[in-house]
Amino acid sequence: MSFALRVLGLALLALLFAVPGAVAADGWSVAPSGGGRPAFYAEGEPGVVLEDTVALVNRGARAVDVSLRGVGARVVFADSRLRLAPGTRTEVPFTVTVPDEDGSAEIVVRDSDGRARRVAVHLRAAVPTVSALTVEHLAVRGDRITYELVNRGTTPLVPTVAVRADGLFGRVLDRAPRTLSAELAPGRRLKLSEPWSAPALDSVEVRLTVTAAGGVRDAASVSTGDGPWGVGAAGVVAATGALFVVRRRRRRKGDAPEPSCAEVELTGAVS
């Protein structure tokens, strides 16, 4: 029993001497500056650059060389490589760019021996609420009205579309507003069409109006057709031009002297 107790005592003594050595070799830490924060929290509009400071503490007995980098977000440090002197505290300013949507990132600090410390960075994208919708590329092609709806805002929208067409002799198309079954996400473009054939003998203006919740509204229009006199007008212009040429030629001929009857008779005599 006494031998076993001596062996156990030696083992405990060895552990007591080993612990201070491990602490001295790995006695540095990283945390948000100011204290009381387990992680970084950043909030702003997408693309905004925010500033903060990370604190590094070396409680060991020797200097430690460390490098800093950001993972999961754009993080830029005032100094990404530095030496931590024994028993010192160093604060490193940095900037982080808010992404387009909420997410998490990390600040990773690694020493020359490969040991790493990490601090979480929680990012919240404070996107402003903007509702905007546009009608684009409205056209009449064959037997259809084609167009595109684009959500230019930051909120999903369910558009309502109304179509009408006015000709020279009155309204030729009037479709009541109808709500689309699909929700249009922010930034999304939706290509749509309406079945309709434009009158062949009429000049028509097609107008498409789109609305959505929150007072969103936009409209576009396009004209098609030459009217009943489109071809006739071209014919009148051509006929007028031809008549002008004929009259001009006649005037030129009228300027030259015409042969008299005597000259004609004399010529016939000679022959």
Side-chain angles (χ1 to χ4, degrees):
M1 292 293 294
S2 59
F3 177 76
L5 289 175
R6 284 197 298 270
V7 173
L8 181 59
L10 291 174
L12 291 174
L13 187 62
L15 288 174
L16 290 175
F17 280 101
V19 170
V23 173
D26 194 23
W28 62 275
S29 61
V30 57
S33 63
R37 292 189 295 168
F40 291 100
Y41 298 90
E43 180 177 352
E45 295 184 8
V48 171
V49 178
L50 304 177
E51 299 179 354
D52 211 323
T53 306
V54 60
L56 298 98
V57 179
N58 184 7
R59 297 183 178 86
R62 65 181 180 87
V64 180
D65 295 323
V66 297
S67 60
L68 299 87
R69 67 187 182 96
V71 178
R74 179 177 174 80
V75 182
V76 179
F77 298 95
D79 192 351
S80 61
R81 294 181 178 273
L82 62 156
R83 168 164 289 190
L84 306 178
T88 60
R89 174 189 175 92
T90 303
E91 294 193 348
V92 181
F94 68 90
T95 61
V96 57
T97 303
V98 179
D100 294 336
E101 56 185 15
D102 297 350
S104 295
E106 285 184 326
I107 290 178
V108 181
V109 184
R110 191 179 302 274
D111 65 12
S112 56
D113 294 328
R115 288 181 288 263
R117 302 287 185 269
R118 302 171 184 270
V119 182
V121 181
H122 302 290
L123 300 170
R124 179 176 176 81
V127 181
T129 301
V130 177
S131 298
L133 190 64
T134 58
V135 181
E136 301 180 8
H137 303 148
L138 177 64
V140 178
R141 295 185 174 92
D143 60 348
R144 306 194 74 81
I145 301 171
T146 61
Y147 58 97
E148 296 180 12
L149 301 182
V150 186
N151 188 342
R152 300 291 184 183
T154 59
T155 59
L157 297 173
V158 179
T160 297
V161 179
V163 186
R164 77 179 190 188
D166 295 308
L168 296 173
F169 308 105
R171 186 154 299 177
V172 295
L173 176 65
D174 192 358
R175 290 183 180 168
R178 63 182 180 88
T179 302
L180 302 183
S181 58
E183 184 180 72
L184 195 60
R188 186 186 174 193
R189 179 184 297 269
L190 187 62
K191 296 182 179 181
L192 300 170
S193 65
E194 302 278 339
W196 182 69
S197 297
L201 299 178
D202 199 356
S203 179
V204 178
E205 182 186 43
V206 178
R207 184 174 181 83
L208 189 143
T209 304
V210 59
T211 58
V216 177
R217 186 181 186 278
D218 192 37
S221 60
V222 63
S223 298
T224 180
D226 297 322
W229 50 78
V231 177
V236 170
V237 172
T240 303
L243 181 60
F244 175 77
V245 172
V246 171
R247 288 183 175 179
R248 188 173 183 181
R249 287 180 178 176
R250 287 181 177 179
R251 288 177 181 176
R252 287 181 179 177
K253 290 181 178 180
D255 294 340
E258 296 181 357
S260 62
C261 295
E263 290 174 344
V264 173
E265 290 176 356
L266 182 60
T267 302
V270 172
S271 62

